[in-house]
Amino acid sequence: MTNVITGLIGLALVLTFLGILVVWIKAIPLIIIVVSVMMLAVLDFVRSLRTNGAHR
């Protein structure tokens, strides 16, 4: 359960930071990079939870 909570906190902080960057710097290449990094971070979080036997 601690992995889920700490993972969600870390993921939320990273997504918030990257979201603020996108709002301040409105460049199309940066937006594409940030969106793909956000998707990969969420995908990695979900996969790591599944391999550790946590919630589905």
mmCIF file of all heavy atoms in Angstrom:
data_model
loop_
_atom_site.group_PDB
_atom_site.id
_atom_site.type_symbol
_atom_site.label_atom_id
_atom_site.label_comp_id
_atom_site.label_asym_id
_atom_site.label_seq_id
_atom_site.Cartn_x
_atom_site.Cartn_y
_atom_site.Cartn_z
ATOM 1 N N MET A 1 0.820 -1.200 0.000
ATOM 2 C CA MET A 1 0.000 0.000 0.000
ATOM 3 C C MET A 1 0.861 1.260 0.000
ATOM 4 O O MET A 1 0.480 2.255 -0.568
ATOM 5 C CB MET A 1 -0.928 -0.051 1.222
ATOM 6 C CG MET A 1 -1.969 1.021 1.220
ATOM 7 S SD MET A 1 -3.052 0.762 -0.184
ATOM 8 C CE MET A 1 -4.164 2.089 0.031
ATOM 9 N N THR A 2 2.030 1.173 0.651
ATOM 10 C CA THR A 2 2.910 2.354 0.676
ATOM 11 C C THR A 2 3.417 2.660 -0.728
ATOM 12 O O THR A 2 3.606 3.832 -1.045
ATOM 13 C CB THR A 2 4.130 2.122 1.591
ATOM 14 O OG1 THR A 2 4.152 0.802 2.060
ATOM 15 C CG2 THR A 2 4.166 3.075 2.715
ATOM 16 N N ASN A 3 3.650 1.634 -1.538
ATOM 17 C CA ASN A 3 4.095 1.872 -2.909
ATOM 18 C C ASN A 3 3.047 2.638 -3.705
ATOM 19 O O ASN A 3 3.393 3.487 -4.533
ATOM 20 C CB ASN A 3 4.411 0.559 -3.613
ATOM 21 C CG ASN A 3 5.656 -0.094 -3.075
ATOM 22 O OD1 ASN A 3 6.476 0.553 -2.442
ATOM 23 N ND2 ASN A 3 5.786 -1.378 -3.334
ATOM 24 N N VAL A 4 1.794 2.342 -3.465
ATOM 25 C CA VAL A 4 0.723 3.027 -4.181
ATOM 26 C C VAL A 4 0.667 4.489 -3.762
ATOM 27 O O VAL A 4 0.602 5.387 -4.617
ATOM 28 C CB VAL A 4 -0.638 2.342 -3.920
ATOM 29 C CG1 VAL A 4 -1.764 3.110 -4.574
ATOM 30 C CG2 VAL A 4 -0.611 0.908 -4.405
ATOM 31 N N ILE A 5 0.725 4.747 -2.473
ATOM 32 C CA ILE A 5 0.612 6.122 -1.977
ATOM 33 C C ILE A 5 1.814 6.955 -2.407
ATOM 34 O O ILE A 5 1.653 8.057 -2.952
ATOM 35 C CB ILE A 5 0.459 6.121 -0.446
ATOM 36 C CG1 ILE A 5 -0.866 5.477 -0.059
ATOM 37 C CG2 ILE A 5 0.537 7.542 0.105
ATOM 38 C CD1 ILE A 5 -1.019 5.219 1.413
ATOM 39 N N THR A 6 3.020 6.447 -2.181
ATOM 40 C CA THR A 6 4.205 7.212 -2.566
ATOM 41 C C THR A 6 4.308 7.361 -4.081
ATOM 42 O O THR A 6 4.744 8.405 -4.579
ATOM 43 C CB THR A 6 5.487 6.558 -2.022
ATOM 44 O OG1 THR A 6 5.546 5.206 -2.466
ATOM 45 C CG2 THR A 6 5.525 6.620 -0.519
ATOM 46 N N GLY A 7 3.889 6.344 -4.805
ATOM 47 C CA GLY A 7 3.886 6.435 -6.267
ATOM 48 C C GLY A 7 2.923 7.488 -6.767
ATOM 49 O O GLY A 7 3.240 8.247 -7.682
ATOM 50 N N LEU A 8 1.733 7.536 -6.175
ATOM 51 C CA LEU A 8 0.756 8.546 -6.580
ATOM 52 C C LEU A 8 1.222 9.957 -6.236
ATOM 53 O O LEU A 8 1.033 10.887 -7.033
ATOM 54 C CB LEU A 8 -0.600 8.268 -5.919
ATOM 55 C CG LEU A 8 -1.388 7.110 -6.505
ATOM 56 C CD1 LEU A 8 -2.655 6.862 -5.695
ATOM 57 C CD2 LEU A 8 -1.735 7.385 -7.956
ATOM 58 N N ILE A 9 1.832 10.121 -5.076
ATOM 59 C CA ILE A 9 2.347 11.445 -4.689
ATOM 60 C C ILE A 9 3.456 11.871 -5.657
ATOM 61 O O ILE A 9 3.451 13.004 -6.159
ATOM 62 C CB ILE A 9 2.857 11.430 -3.237
ATOM 63 C CG1 ILE A 9 1.688 11.291 -2.275
ATOM 64 C CG2 ILE A 9 3.641 12.697 -2.925
ATOM 65 C CD1 ILE A 9 2.089 11.062 -0.832
ATOM 66 N N GLY A 10 4.386 10.980 -5.938
ATOM 67 C CA GLY A 10 5.469 11.306 -6.854
ATOM 68 C C GLY A 10 4.977 11.589 -8.262
ATOM 69 O O GLY A 10 5.414 12.542 -8.906
ATOM 70 N N LEU A 11 4.034 10.783 -8.721
ATOM 71 C CA LEU A 11 3.471 10.978 -10.053
ATOM 72 C C LEU A 11 2.720 12.302 -10.138
ATOM 73 O O LEU A 11 2.837 13.030 -11.129
ATOM 74 C CB LEU A 11 2.553 9.809 -10.399
ATOM 75 C CG LEU A 11 2.095 9.674 -11.829
ATOM 76 C CD1 LEU A 11 3.288 9.522 -12.761
ATOM 77 C CD2 LEU A 11 1.168 8.494 -11.969
ATOM 78 N N ALA A 12 1.971 12.632 -9.102
ATOM 79 C CA ALA A 12 1.239 13.902 -9.088
ATOM 80 C C ALA A 12 2.189 15.096 -9.104
ATOM 81 O O ALA A 12 1.942 16.087 -9.805
ATOM 82 C CB ALA A 12 0.335 13.970 -7.868
ATOM 83 N N LEU A 13 3.291 15.000 -8.363
ATOM 84 C CA LEU A 13 4.253 16.100 -8.340
ATOM 85 C C LEU A 13 4.941 16.273 -9.693
ATOM 86 O O LEU A 13 5.121 17.400 -10.165
ATOM 87 C CB LEU A 13 5.292 15.877 -7.242
ATOM 88 C CG LEU A 13 4.772 16.033 -5.807
ATOM 89 C CD1 LEU A 13 5.854 15.633 -4.807
ATOM 90 C CD2 LEU A 13 4.318 17.453 -5.561
ATOM 91 N N VAL A 14 5.313 15.174 -10.324
ATOM 92 C CA VAL A 14 5.950 15.256 -11.636
ATOM 93 C C VAL A 14 4.978 15.819 -12.669
ATOM 94 O O VAL A 14 5.328 16.686 -13.469
ATOM 95 C CB VAL A 14 6.478 13.873 -12.076
ATOM 96 C CG1 VAL A 14 6.849 13.852 -13.538
ATOM 97 C CG2 VAL A 14 7.653 13.482 -11.227
ATOM 98 N N LEU A 15 3.740 15.334 -12.655
ATOM 99 C CA LEU A 15 2.747 15.826 -13.605
ATOM 100 C C LEU A 15 2.442 17.300 -13.380
ATOM 101 O O LEU A 15 2.254 18.054 -14.338
ATOM 102 C CB LEU A 15 1.471 14.986 -13.522
ATOM 103 C CG LEU A 15 1.610 13.524 -13.939
ATOM 104 C CD1 LEU A 15 0.273 12.798 -13.786
ATOM 105 C CD2 LEU A 15 2.118 13.398 -15.348
ATOM 106 N N THR A 16 2.415 17.735 -12.128
ATOM 107 C CA THR A 16 2.189 19.149 -11.831
ATOM 108 C C THR A 16 3.347 19.995 -12.350
ATOM 109 O O THR A 16 3.135 21.038 -12.982
ATOM 110 C CB THR A 16 2.021 19.356 -10.316
ATOM 111 O OG1 THR A 16 0.938 18.553 -9.859
ATOM 112 C CG2 THR A 16 1.759 20.808 -9.993
ATOM 113 N N PHE A 17 4.561 19.554 -12.091
ATOM 114 C CA PHE A 17 5.733 20.293 -12.554
ATOM 115 C C PHE A 17 5.755 20.406 -14.069
ATOM 116 O O PHE A 17 5.966 21.490 -14.628
ATOM 117 C CB PHE A 17 7.006 19.612 -12.053
ATOM 118 C CG PHE A 17 8.263 20.217 -12.598
ATOM 119 C CD1 PHE A 17 8.690 21.463 -12.160
ATOM 120 C CD2 PHE A 17 9.008 19.544 -13.548
ATOM 121 C CE1 PHE A 17 9.846 22.026 -12.665
ATOM 122 C CE2 PHE A 17 10.168 20.100 -14.051
ATOM 123 C CZ PHE A 17 10.586 21.344 -13.612
ATOM 124 N N LEU A 18 5.530 19.292 -14.751
ATOM 125 C CA LEU A 18 5.539 19.326 -16.209
ATOM 126 C C LEU A 18 4.375 20.136 -16.763
ATOM 127 O O LEU A 18 4.507 20.806 -17.781
ATOM 128 C CB LEU A 18 5.515 17.899 -16.764
ATOM 129 C CG LEU A 18 6.777 17.077 -16.514
ATOM 130 C CD1 LEU A 18 6.574 15.659 -17.015
ATOM 131 C CD2 LEU A 18 7.978 17.710 -17.164
ATOM 132 N N GLY A 19 3.236 20.102 -16.081
ATOM 133 C CA GLY A 19 2.093 20.908 -16.505
ATOM 134 C C GLY A 19 2.368 22.394 -16.401
ATOM 135 O O GLY A 19 1.990 23.176 -17.275
ATOM 136 N N ILE A 20 3.048 22.794 -15.337
ATOM 137 C CA ILE A 20 3.413 24.209 -15.171
ATOM 138 C C ILE A 20 4.383 24.634 -16.278
ATOM 139 O O ILE A 20 4.265 25.736 -16.828
ATOM 140 C CB ILE A 20 4.018 24.442 -13.776
ATOM 141 C CG1 ILE A 20 2.921 24.308 -12.724
ATOM 142 C CG2 ILE A 20 4.678 25.807 -13.685
ATOM 143 C CD1 ILE A 20 3.430 24.302 -11.300
ATOM 144 N N LEU A 21 5.327 23.762 -16.619
ATOM 145 C CA LEU A 21 6.249 24.080 -17.712
ATOM 146 C C LEU A 21 5.512 24.303 -19.027
ATOM 147 O O LEU A 21 5.828 25.221 -19.779
ATOM 148 C CB LEU A 21 7.266 22.950 -17.892
ATOM 149 C CG LEU A 21 8.438 22.920 -16.935
ATOM 150 C CD1 LEU A 21 9.325 21.725 -17.261
ATOM 151 C CD2 LEU A 21 9.236 24.191 -17.004
ATOM 152 N N VAL A 22 4.534 23.464 -19.301
ATOM 153 C CA VAL A 22 3.781 23.591 -20.553
ATOM 154 C C VAL A 22 2.982 24.892 -20.567
ATOM 155 O O VAL A 22 2.873 25.541 -21.607
ATOM 156 C CB VAL A 22 2.868 22.360 -20.755
ATOM 157 C CG1 VAL A 22 1.840 22.601 -21.835
ATOM 158 C CG2 VAL A 22 3.700 21.151 -21.083
ATOM 159 N N VAL A 23 2.437 25.276 -19.412
ATOM 160 C CA VAL A 23 1.654 26.512 -19.359
ATOM 161 C C VAL A 23 2.554 27.728 -19.574
ATOM 162 O O VAL A 23 2.178 28.671 -20.280
ATOM 163 C CB VAL A 23 0.901 26.601 -18.011
ATOM 164 C CG1 VAL A 23 0.297 27.976 -17.805
ATOM 165 C CG2 VAL A 23 -0.180 25.537 -17.948
ATOM 166 N N TRP A 24 3.738 27.726 -18.987
ATOM 167 C CA TRP A 24 4.637 28.869 -19.112
ATOM 168 C C TRP A 24 5.302 28.945 -20.474
ATOM 169 O O TRP A 24 5.435 30.008 -21.056
ATOM 170 C CB TRP A 24 5.718 28.815 -18.034
ATOM 171 C CG TRP A 24 5.245 29.276 -16.691
ATOM 172 C CD1 TRP A 24 4.022 29.783 -16.380
ATOM 173 C CD2 TRP A 24 6.003 29.265 -15.484
ATOM 174 N NE1 TRP A 24 3.967 30.065 -15.046
ATOM 175 C CE2 TRP A 24 5.163 29.765 -14.472
ATOM 176 C CE3 TRP A 24 7.285 28.862 -15.169
ATOM 177 C CZ2 TRP A 24 5.583 29.886 -13.160
ATOM 178 C CZ3 TRP A 24 7.707 28.985 -13.863
ATOM 179 C CH2 TRP A 24 6.864 29.503 -12.868
ATOM 180 N N ILE A 25 5.760 27.815 -20.976
ATOM 181 C CA ILE A 25 6.463 27.771 -22.262
ATOM 182 C C ILE A 25 5.542 27.091 -23.265
ATOM 183 O O ILE A 25 5.404 25.878 -23.270
ATOM 184 C CB ILE A 25 7.784 26.989 -22.141
ATOM 185 C CG1 ILE A 25 8.608 27.525 -21.002
ATOM 186 C CG2 ILE A 25 8.541 27.023 -23.449
ATOM 187 C CD1 ILE A 25 9.783 26.651 -20.635
ATOM 188 N N LYS A 26 4.929 27.861 -24.095
ATOM 189 C CA LYS A 26 3.931 27.310 -25.015
ATOM 190 C C LYS A 26 4.552 26.984 -26.379
ATOM 191 O O LYS A 26 4.192 27.559 -27.390
ATOM 192 C CB LYS A 26 2.794 28.299 -25.170
ATOM 193 C CG LYS A 26 1.999 28.490 -23.909
ATOM 194 C CD LYS A 26 0.894 29.502 -24.095
ATOM 195 C CE LYS A 26 -0.004 29.566 -22.907
ATOM 196 N NZ LYS A 26 0.466 30.330 -21.807
ATOM 197 N N ALA A 27 5.494 26.051 -26.378
ATOM 198 C CA ALA A 27 6.125 25.604 -27.616
ATOM 199 C C ALA A 27 5.598 24.214 -27.964
ATOM 200 O O ALA A 27 5.530 23.337 -27.099
ATOM 201 C CB ALA A 27 7.636 25.569 -27.462
ATOM 202 N N ILE A 28 5.223 24.039 -29.202
ATOM 203 C CA ILE A 28 4.633 22.780 -29.647
ATOM 204 C C ILE A 28 5.569 21.579 -29.400
ATOM 205 O O ILE A 28 5.106 20.548 -28.898
ATOM 206 C CB ILE A 28 4.233 22.864 -31.141
ATOM 207 C CG1 ILE A 28 3.166 23.941 -31.335
ATOM 208 C CG2 ILE A 28 3.741 21.521 -31.649
ATOM 209 C CD1 ILE A 28 1.866 23.675 -30.611
ATOM 210 N N PRO A 29 6.870 21.660 -29.721
ATOM 211 C CA PRO A 29 7.732 20.496 -29.454
ATOM 212 C C PRO A 29 7.794 20.146 -27.966
ATOM 213 O O PRO A 29 7.810 18.964 -27.608
ATOM 214 C CB PRO A 29 9.107 20.930 -29.965
ATOM 215 C CG PRO A 29 8.823 21.986 -30.961
ATOM 216 C CD PRO A 29 7.604 22.683 -30.473
ATOM 217 N N LEU A 30 7.808 21.153 -27.103
ATOM 218 C CA LEU A 30 7.821 20.884 -25.664
ATOM 219 C C LEU A 30 6.532 20.224 -25.216
ATOM 220 O O LEU A 30 6.551 19.300 -24.398
ATOM 221 C CB LEU A 30 8.048 22.175 -24.873
ATOM 222 C CG LEU A 30 8.062 22.007 -23.360
ATOM 223 C CD1 LEU A 30 9.277 21.205 -22.931
ATOM 224 C CD2 LEU A 30 8.028 23.342 -22.670
ATOM 225 N N ILE A 31 5.422 20.663 -25.750
ATOM 226 C CA ILE A 31 4.123 20.066 -25.401
ATOM 227 C C ILE A 31 4.103 18.591 -25.798
ATOM 228 O O ILE A 31 3.652 17.731 -25.032
ATOM 229 C CB ILE A 31 2.971 20.854 -26.057
ATOM 230 C CG1 ILE A 31 2.888 22.248 -25.442
ATOM 231 C CG2 ILE A 31 1.653 20.105 -25.915
ATOM 232 C CD1 ILE A 31 1.928 23.182 -26.142
ATOM 233 N N ILE A 32 4.611 18.280 -26.985
ATOM 234 C CA ILE A 32 4.642 16.887 -27.448
ATOM 235 C C ILE A 32 5.527 16.043 -26.526
ATOM 236 O O ILE A 32 5.142 14.935 -26.124
ATOM 237 C CB ILE A 32 5.139 16.819 -28.905
ATOM 238 C CG1 ILE A 32 4.113 17.471 -29.822
ATOM 239 C CG2 ILE A 32 5.422 15.389 -29.322
ATOM 240 C CD1 ILE A 32 4.594 17.680 -31.230
ATOM 241 N N ILE A 33 6.685 16.571 -26.165
ATOM 242 C CA ILE A 33 7.597 15.838 -25.291
ATOM 243 C C ILE A 33 6.990 15.630 -23.910
ATOM 244 O O ILE A 33 7.034 14.538 -23.349
ATOM 245 C CB ILE A 33 8.946 16.577 -25.189
ATOM 246 C CG1 ILE A 33 9.668 16.503 -26.523
ATOM 247 C CG2 ILE A 33 9.814 15.997 -24.077
ATOM 248 C CD1 ILE A 33 10.866 17.399 -26.623
ATOM 249 N N VAL A 34 6.389 16.671 -23.348
ATOM 250 C CA VAL A 34 5.810 16.586 -22.004
ATOM 251 C C VAL A 34 4.643 15.608 -21.978
ATOM 252 O O VAL A 34 4.522 14.804 -21.048
ATOM 253 C CB VAL A 34 5.404 17.982 -21.495
ATOM 254 C CG1 VAL A 34 4.513 17.887 -20.279
ATOM 255 C CG2 VAL A 34 6.634 18.809 -21.191
ATOM 256 N N VAL A 35 3.791 15.647 -22.976
ATOM 257 C CA VAL A 35 2.648 14.724 -23.016
ATOM 258 C C VAL A 35 3.132 13.281 -23.124
ATOM 259 O O VAL A 35 2.621 12.397 -22.431
ATOM 260 C CB VAL A 35 1.698 15.091 -24.176
ATOM 261 C CG1 VAL A 35 0.684 13.992 -24.429
ATOM 262 C CG2 VAL A 35 0.985 16.398 -23.877
ATOM 263 N N SER A 36 4.151 13.044 -23.954
ATOM 264 C CA SER A 36 4.649 11.670 -24.067
ATOM 265 C C SER A 36 5.339 11.223 -22.785
ATOM 266 O O SER A 36 5.207 10.057 -22.385
ATOM 267 C CB SER A 36 5.570 11.522 -25.276
ATOM 268 O OG SER A 36 6.556 12.506 -25.279
ATOM 269 N N VAL A 37 6.052 12.110 -22.103
ATOM 270 C CA VAL A 37 6.681 11.761 -20.829
ATOM 271 C C VAL A 37 5.616 11.467 -19.772
ATOM 272 O O VAL A 37 5.759 10.531 -18.983
ATOM 273 C CB VAL A 37 7.635 12.885 -20.367
ATOM 274 C CG1 VAL A 37 8.037 12.706 -18.916
ATOM 275 C CG2 VAL A 37 8.859 12.929 -21.248
ATOM 276 N N MET A 38 4.541 12.249 -19.753
ATOM 277 C CA MET A 38 3.449 12.001 -18.807
ATOM 278 C C MET A 38 2.814 10.635 -19.047
ATOM 279 O O MET A 38 2.565 9.887 -18.105
ATOM 280 C CB MET A 38 2.383 13.092 -18.928
ATOM 281 C CG MET A 38 2.765 14.408 -18.357
ATOM 282 S SD MET A 38 1.387 15.568 -18.590
ATOM 283 C CE MET A 38 2.019 17.014 -17.777
ATOM 284 N N MET A 39 2.578 10.303 -20.313
ATOM 285 C CA MET A 39 1.979 9.004 -20.619
ATOM 286 C C MET A 39 2.907 7.864 -20.221
ATOM 287 O O MET A 39 2.452 6.855 -19.669
ATOM 288 C CB MET A 39 1.634 8.916 -22.105
ATOM 289 C CG MET A 39 0.496 9.809 -22.517
ATOM 290 S SD MET A 39 -0.109 9.624 -24.207
ATOM 291 C CE MET A 39 1.338 9.312 -25.163
ATOM 292 N N LEU A 40 4.199 8.006 -20.481
ATOM 293 C CA LEU A 40 5.147 6.959 -20.112
ATOM 294 C C LEU A 40 5.264 6.810 -18.601
ATOM 295 O O LEU A 40 5.411 5.692 -18.095
ATOM 296 C CB LEU A 40 6.519 7.259 -20.718
ATOM 297 C CG LEU A 40 6.639 7.052 -22.220
ATOM 298 C CD1 LEU A 40 7.989 7.548 -22.715
ATOM 299 C CD2 LEU A 40 6.426 5.608 -22.579
ATOM 300 N N ALA A 41 5.192 7.917 -17.867
ATOM 301 C CA ALA A 41 5.270 7.848 -16.409
ATOM 302 C C ALA A 41 4.055 7.120 -15.835
ATOM 303 O O ALA A 41 4.189 6.282 -14.942
ATOM 304 C CB ALA A 41 5.374 9.253 -15.819
ATOM 305 N N VAL A 42 2.880 7.429 -16.348
ATOM 306 C CA VAL A 42 1.664 6.758 -15.874
ATOM 307 C C VAL A 42 1.706 5.268 -16.248
ATOM 308 O O VAL A 42 1.371 4.406 -15.425
ATOM 309 C CB VAL A 42 0.405 7.440 -16.453
ATOM 310 C CG1 VAL A 42 -0.844 6.621 -16.182
ATOM 311 C CG2 VAL A 42 0.259 8.847 -15.878
ATOM 312 N N LEU A 43 2.144 4.962 -17.455
ATOM 313 C CA LEU A 43 2.248 3.575 -17.885
ATOM 314 C C LEU A 43 3.238 2.798 -17.015
ATOM 315 O O LEU A 43 2.964 1.668 -16.598
ATOM 316 C CB LEU A 43 2.670 3.504 -19.349
ATOM 317 C CG LEU A 43 2.816 2.123 -19.952
ATOM 318 C CD1 LEU A 43 1.471 1.420 -20.012
ATOM 319 C CD2 LEU A 43 3.448 2.217 -21.323
ATOM 320 N N ASP A 44 4.373 3.394 -16.718
ATOM 321 C CA ASP A 44 5.372 2.741 -15.868
ATOM 322 C C ASP A 44 4.833 2.514 -14.461
ATOM 323 O O ASP A 44 5.076 1.463 -13.862
ATOM 324 C CB ASP A 44 6.642 3.584 -15.818
ATOM 325 C CG ASP A 44 7.715 2.934 -14.980
ATOM 326 O OD1 ASP A 44 8.051 1.768 -15.261
ATOM 327 O OD2 ASP A 44 8.211 3.590 -14.045
ATOM 328 N N PHE A 45 4.094 3.484 -13.930
ATOM 329 C CA PHE A 45 3.506 3.350 -12.601
ATOM 330 C C PHE A 45 2.512 2.193 -12.559
ATOM 331 O O PHE A 45 2.547 1.358 -11.649
ATOM 332 C CB PHE A 45 2.833 4.658 -12.189
ATOM 333 C CG PHE A 45 2.147 4.603 -10.858
ATOM 334 C CD1 PHE A 45 2.873 4.446 -9.693
ATOM 335 C CD2 PHE A 45 0.775 4.706 -10.771
ATOM 336 C CE1 PHE A 45 2.244 4.392 -8.466
ATOM 337 C CE2 PHE A 45 0.141 4.652 -9.548
ATOM 338 C CZ PHE A 45 0.875 4.495 -8.394
ATOM 339 N N VAL A 46 1.658 2.114 -13.548
ATOM 340 C CA VAL A 46 0.657 1.042 -13.596
ATOM 341 C C VAL A 46 1.336 -0.321 -13.743
ATOM 342 O O VAL A 46 0.989 -1.276 -13.056
ATOM 343 C CB VAL A 46 -0.347 1.287 -14.743
ATOM 344 C CG1 VAL A 46 -1.235 0.076 -14.967
ATOM 345 C CG2 VAL A 46 -1.184 2.519 -14.444
ATOM 346 N N ARG A 47 2.325 -0.399 -14.625
ATOM 347 C CA ARG A 47 3.029 -1.676 -14.816
ATOM 348 C C ARG A 47 3.780 -2.105 -13.562
ATOM 349 O O ARG A 47 3.831 -3.281 -13.244
ATOM 350 C CB ARG A 47 3.988 -1.577 -15.983
ATOM 351 C CG ARG A 47 3.301 -1.664 -17.308
ATOM 352 C CD ARG A 47 4.301 -1.789 -18.413
ATOM 353 N NE ARG A 47 3.621 -1.966 -19.682
ATOM 354 C CZ ARG A 47 4.258 -2.106 -20.817
ATOM 355 N NH1 ARG A 47 5.577 -2.079 -20.845
ATOM 356 N NH2 ARG A 47 3.582 -2.256 -21.932
ATOM 357 N N SER A 48 4.382 -1.142 -12.873
ATOM 358 C CA SER A 48 5.112 -1.514 -11.660
ATOM 359 C C SER A 48 4.166 -1.980 -10.558
ATOM 360 O O SER A 48 4.507 -2.861 -9.781
ATOM 361 C CB SER A 48 5.967 -0.350 -11.160
ATOM 362 O OG SER A 48 5.157 0.702 -10.701
ATOM 363 N N LEU A 49 2.969 -1.426 -10.514
ATOM 364 C CA LEU A 49 1.991 -1.897 -9.542
ATOM 365 C C LEU A 49 1.527 -3.311 -9.873
ATOM 366 O O LEU A 49 1.369 -4.137 -8.979
ATOM 367 C CB LEU A 49 0.774 -0.964 -9.494
ATOM 368 C CG LEU A 49 0.971 0.376 -8.803
ATOM 369 C CD1 LEU A 49 -0.330 1.156 -8.830
ATOM 370 C CD2 LEU A 49 1.446 0.199 -7.379
ATOM 371 N N ARG A 50 1.318 -3.580 -11.140
ATOM 372 C CA ARG A 50 0.857 -4.917 -11.541
ATOM 373 C C ARG A 50 1.925 -5.976 -11.300
ATOM 374 O O ARG A 50 1.599 -7.103 -10.935
ATOM 375 C CB ARG A 50 0.435 -4.912 -13.001
ATOM 376 C CG ARG A 50 -0.876 -4.198 -13.205
ATOM 377 C CD ARG A 50 -1.381 -4.395 -14.590
ATOM 378 N NE ARG A 50 -2.659 -3.709 -14.751
ATOM 379 C CZ ARG A 50 -3.292 -3.582 -15.882
ATOM 380 N NH1 ARG A 50 -2.771 -4.089 -16.971
ATOM 381 N NH2 ARG A 50 -4.447 -2.951 -15.931
ATOM 382 N N THR A 51 3.175 -5.660 -11.537
ATOM 383 C CA THR A 51 4.222 -6.669 -11.334
ATOM 384 C C THR A 51 4.480 -6.919 -9.854
ATOM 385 O O THR A 51 4.925 -7.998 -9.487
ATOM 386 C CB THR A 51 5.547 -6.248 -12.005
ATOM 387 O OG1 THR A 51 5.954 -4.997 -11.501
ATOM 388 C CG2 THR A 51 5.394 -6.195 -13.510
ATOM 389 N N ASN A 52 4.199 -5.936 -9.009
ATOM 390 C CA ASN A 52 4.389 -6.121 -7.574
ATOM 391 C C ASN A 52 3.179 -6.758 -6.908
ATOM 392 O O ASN A 52 3.175 -6.952 -5.716
ATOM 393 C CB ASN A 52 4.704 -4.776 -6.899
ATOM 394 C CG ASN A 52 6.071 -4.268 -7.272
ATOM 395 O OD1 ASN A 52 6.932 -5.032 -7.660
ATOM 396 N ND2 ASN A 52 6.256 -2.977 -7.155
ATOM 397 N N GLY A 53 2.144 -7.064 -7.666
ATOM 398 C CA GLY A 53 0.979 -7.739 -7.126
ATOM 399 C C GLY A 53 0.007 -6.823 -6.419
ATOM 400 O O GLY A 53 -0.804 -7.264 -5.626
ATOM 401 N N ALA A 54 0.062 -5.539 -6.715
ATOM 402 C CA ALA A 54 -0.864 -4.590 -6.066
ATOM 403 C C ALA A 54 -2.176 -4.560 -6.854
ATOM 404 O O ALA A 54 -2.495 -5.483 -7.617
ATOM 405 C CB ALA A 54 -0.228 -3.213 -5.998
ATOM 406 N N HIS A 55 -2.916 -3.481 -6.722
ATOM 407 C CA HIS A 55 -4.238 -3.336 -7.334
ATOM 408 C C HIS A 55 -4.148 -3.417 -8.846
ATOM 409 O O HIS A 55 -3.184 -3.036 -9.448
ATOM 410 C CB HIS A 55 -4.863 -2.005 -6.943
ATOM 411 C CG HIS A 55 -4.959 -1.842 -5.452
ATOM 412 N ND1 HIS A 55 -5.790 -2.612 -4.688
ATOM 413 C CD2 HIS A 55 -4.313 -1.011 -4.619
ATOM 414 C CE1 HIS A 55 -5.650 -2.246 -3.438
ATOM 415 N NE2 HIS A 55 -4.751 -1.275 -3.372
ATOM 416 N N ARG A 56 -5.235 -3.892 -9.452
ATOM 417 C CA ARG A 56 -5.278 -3.980 -10.913
ATOM 418 C C ARG A 56 -5.938 -2.806 -11.501
ATOM 419 O O ARG A 56 -6.762 -2.176 -11.312
ATOM 420 C CB ARG A 56 -6.025 -5.222 -11.341
ATOM 421 C CG ARG A 56 -5.159 -6.439 -11.234
ATOM 422 C CD ARG A 56 -5.818 -7.580 -11.860
ATOM 423 N NE ARG A 56 -4.894 -8.060 -12.861
ATOM 424 C CZ ARG A 56 -5.180 -8.992 -13.705
ATOM 425 N NH1 ARG A 56 -6.361 -9.509 -13.731
ATOM 426 N NH2 ARG A 56 -4.303 -9.415 -14.571
#
